[in-house]
Amino acid sequence: MQALIGWIVHVYAALAVVPFIPFFIIWIALYFVYKNKKKAMNISMDMTTLLLVGSVTAMFNDIFKSGFGFWLILLFFLTAFGLLGGLQNRLKGRLDVKKLVKALWRFGFLALSALYVLFLFIGLGKYIYSM
């Protein structure tokens, strides 16, 4: 069982190093399966968000010498869930959790992608400056 868990961790780490390469691979594979660009894009975004959480966490922890990266991302998601849920409840009078989670997950993809690019440049600058 430990070997399986170790293998899964290594595969996740390898894919999370550059999460946009698996995004395009997944998108191309799903497009050929479903012949639907929108469905392929949505599923690719959902799967890449998982990789981005790991990447952005590692980059945040490395840049700021912290262990708080994952918890900050979790705090962001929970706060956004509460705010969007309250807004949805005020506008529609009810809470549609499935729509809320889907919207939050897709927004998370955009936010984490922007943070990935930002942290990539900060990390490169920090590395070059330290040379």
Side-chain angles (χ1 to χ4, degrees):
M1 187 65 170
Q2 287 289 21
L4 178 64
I5 292 172
W7 182 80
I8 291 171
V9 168
H10 284 16
V11 168
Y12 176 82
L15 292 175
V17 170
V18 185
F20 297 105
I21 292 174
F23 172 83
F24 289 116
I25 292 170
I26 294 167
W27 186 87
I28 290 168
L30 291 174
Y31 178 71
F32 284 117
V33 169
Y34 293 118
K35 303 288 190 232
N36 184 341
K37 288 182 183 180
K38 185 177 179 180
K39 189 171 188 173
M41 179 67 74
N42 288 339
I43 294 172
S44 298
M45 285 172 54
D46 292 342
M47 295 177 83
T48 305
T49 303
L50 285 174
L51 298 174
L52 283 168
V53 167
S55 295
V56 171
T57 296
M59 293 169 92
F60 179 89
N61 290 344
D62 184 55
I63 290 170
F64 298 109
K65 303 294 183 224
S66 169
F68 190 65
F70 175 75
W71 302 110
L72 188 63
I73 292 172
L74 183 62
L75 179 66
F76 165 76
F77 274 106
L78 291 174
T79 303
F81 185 83
L83 291 172
L84 287 175
L87 178 65
Q88 187 182 63
N89 190 33
R90 265 187 255 117
L91 292 177
K92 300 196 181 210
R94 63 181 176 82
L95 191 64
D96 186 359
V97 177
K98 185 177 178 182
K99 265 187 170 179
L100 182 63
V101 168
K102 187 185 293 188
L104 181 63
W105 199 247
R106 304 273 163 78
F107 179 72
F109 172 79
L110 293 175
L112 290 172
S113 296
L115 283 173
Y116 179 84
V117 171
L118 177 69
F119 288 165
L120 180 68
F121 286 120
I122 291 172
L124 284 172
K126 186 177 172 184
Y127 176 74
I128 290 171
Y129 181 73
S130 70
M131 289 178 85

PDB file of all heavy atoms in Angstrom, residues 1-9:
ATOM      1  N   MET A   1       0.819  -1.189   0.000  1.00  0.00           N
ATOM      2  CA  MET A   1       0.000   0.000   0.000  1.00  0.00           C
ATOM      3  C   MET A   1       0.864   1.256   0.000  1.00  0.00           C
ATOM      4  O   MET A   1       0.520   2.228  -0.650  1.00  0.00           O
ATOM      5  CB  MET A   1      -0.924  -0.037   1.229  1.00  0.00           C
ATOM      6  CG  MET A   1      -1.940   1.058   1.241  1.00  0.00           C
ATOM      7  SD  MET A   1      -3.059   0.817  -0.129  1.00  0.00           S
ATOM      8  CE  MET A   1      -4.275   1.998   0.257  1.00  0.00           C
ATOM      9  N   GLN A   2       1.981   1.224   0.741  1.00  0.00           N
ATOM     10  CA  GLN A   2       2.880   2.380   0.791  1.00  0.00           C
ATOM     11  C   GLN A   2       3.478   2.654  -0.581  1.00  0.00           C
ATOM     12  O   GLN A   2       3.692   3.814  -0.947  1.00  0.00           O
ATOM     13  CB  GLN A   2       3.999   2.149   1.816  1.00  0.00           C
ATOM     14  CG  GLN A   2       3.547   2.244   3.247  1.00  0.00           C
ATOM     15  CD  GLN A   2       3.223   3.676   3.646  1.00  0.00           C
ATOM     16  OE1 GLN A   2       2.961   4.548   2.824  1.00  0.00           O
ATOM     17  NE2 GLN A   2       3.211   3.908   4.941  1.00  0.00           N
ATOM     18  N   ALA A   3       3.769   1.593  -1.332  1.00  0.00           N
ATOM     19  CA  ALA A   3       4.342   1.763  -2.666  1.00  0.00           C
ATOM     20  C   ALA A   3       3.351   2.462  -3.589  1.00  0.00           C
ATOM     21  O   ALA A   3       3.732   3.339  -4.375  1.00  0.00           O
ATOM     22  CB  ALA A   3       4.746   0.414  -3.248  1.00  0.00           C
ATOM     23  N   LEU A   4       2.075   2.101  -3.485  1.00  0.00           N
ATOM     24  CA  LEU A   4       1.039   2.732  -4.307  1.00  0.00           C
ATOM     25  C   LEU A   4       0.899   4.208  -3.963  1.00  0.00           C
ATOM     26  O   LEU A   4       0.835   5.057  -4.859  1.00  0.00           O
ATOM     27  CB  LEU A   4      -0.295   2.014  -4.127  1.00  0.00           C
ATOM     28  CG  LEU A   4      -1.476   2.607  -4.892  1.00  0.00           C
ATOM     29  CD1 LEU A   4      -1.240   2.509  -6.388  1.00  0.00           C
ATOM     30  CD2 LEU A   4      -2.761   1.929  -4.497  1.00  0.00           C
ATOM     31  N   ILE A   5       0.881   4.522  -2.688  1.00  0.00           N
ATOM     32  CA  ILE A   5       0.776   5.917  -2.260  1.00  0.00           C
ATOM     33  C   ILE A   5       2.002   6.706  -2.711  1.00  0.00           C
ATOM     34  O   ILE A   5       1.885   7.832  -3.199  1.00  0.00           O
ATOM     35  CB  ILE A   5       0.569   6.000  -0.729  1.00  0.00           C
ATOM     36  CG1 ILE A   5      -0.808   5.449  -0.369  1.00  0.00           C
ATOM     37  CG2 ILE A   5       0.712   7.440  -0.235  1.00  0.00           C
ATOM     38  CD1 ILE A   5      -1.054   5.312   1.112  1.00  0.00           C
ATOM     39  N   GLY A   6       3.171   6.123  -2.573  1.00  0.00           N
ATOM     40  CA  GLY A   6       4.391   6.776  -3.040  1.00  0.00           C
ATOM     41  C   GLY A   6       4.384   7.028  -4.533  1.00  0.00           C
ATOM     42  O   GLY A   6       4.795   8.095  -4.998  1.00  0.00           O
ATOM     43  N   TRP A   7       3.881   6.072  -5.285  1.00  0.00           N
ATOM     44  CA  TRP A   7       3.790   6.219  -6.733  1.00  0.00           C
ATOM     45  C   TRP A   7       2.820   7.341  -7.091  1.00  0.00           C
ATOM     46  O   TRP A   7       3.118   8.163  -7.969  1.00  0.00           O
ATOM     47  CB  TRP A   7       3.339   4.891  -7.340  1.00  0.00           C
ATOM     48  CG  TRP A   7       3.257   4.927  -8.831  1.00  0.00           C
ATOM     49  CD1 TRP A   7       4.291   4.812  -9.714  1.00  0.00           C
ATOM     50  CD2 TRP A   7       2.080   5.093  -9.616  1.00  0.00           C
ATOM     51  NE1 TRP A   7       3.828   4.890 -11.007  1.00  0.00           N
ATOM     52  CE2 TRP A   7       2.464   5.072 -10.967  1.00  0.00           C
ATOM     53  CE3 TRP A   7       0.736   5.263  -9.323  1.00  0.00           C
ATOM     54  CZ2 TRP A   7       1.558   5.213 -12.011  1.00  0.00           C
ATOM     55  CZ3 TRP A   7      -0.166   5.401 -10.350  1.00  0.00           C
ATOM     56  CH2 TRP A   7       0.251   5.375 -11.684  1.00  0.00           C
ATOM     57  N   ILE A   8       1.668   7.400  -6.432  1.00  0.00           N
ATOM     58  CA  ILE A   8       0.674   8.452  -6.686  1.00  0.00           C
ATOM     59  C   ILE A   8       1.258   9.824  -6.370  1.00  0.00           C
ATOM     60  O   ILE A   8       1.070  10.784  -7.124  1.00  0.00           O
ATOM     61  CB  ILE A   8      -0.620   8.183  -5.890  1.00  0.00           C
ATOM     62  CG1 ILE A   8      -1.338   6.962  -6.458  1.00  0.00           C
ATOM     63  CG2 ILE A   8      -1.544   9.389  -5.919  1.00  0.00           C
ATOM     64  CD1 ILE A   8      -2.504   6.479  -5.633  1.00  0.00           C
ATOM     65  N   VAL A   9       1.979   9.934  -5.255  1.00  0.00           N
ATOM     66  CA  VAL A   9       2.597  11.201  -4.869  1.00  0.00           C
ATOM     67  C   VAL A   9       3.618  11.634  -5.915  1.00  0.00           C
ATOM     68  O   VAL A   9       3.669  12.813  -6.288  1.00  0.00           O
ATOM     69  CB  VAL A   9       3.237  11.089  -3.472  1.00  0.00           C
ATOM     70  CG1 VAL A   9       4.137  12.271  -3.173  1.00  0.00           C
ATOM     71  CG2 VAL A   9       2.165  10.962  -2.407  1.00  0.00           C
TER      72      VAL A   9
END
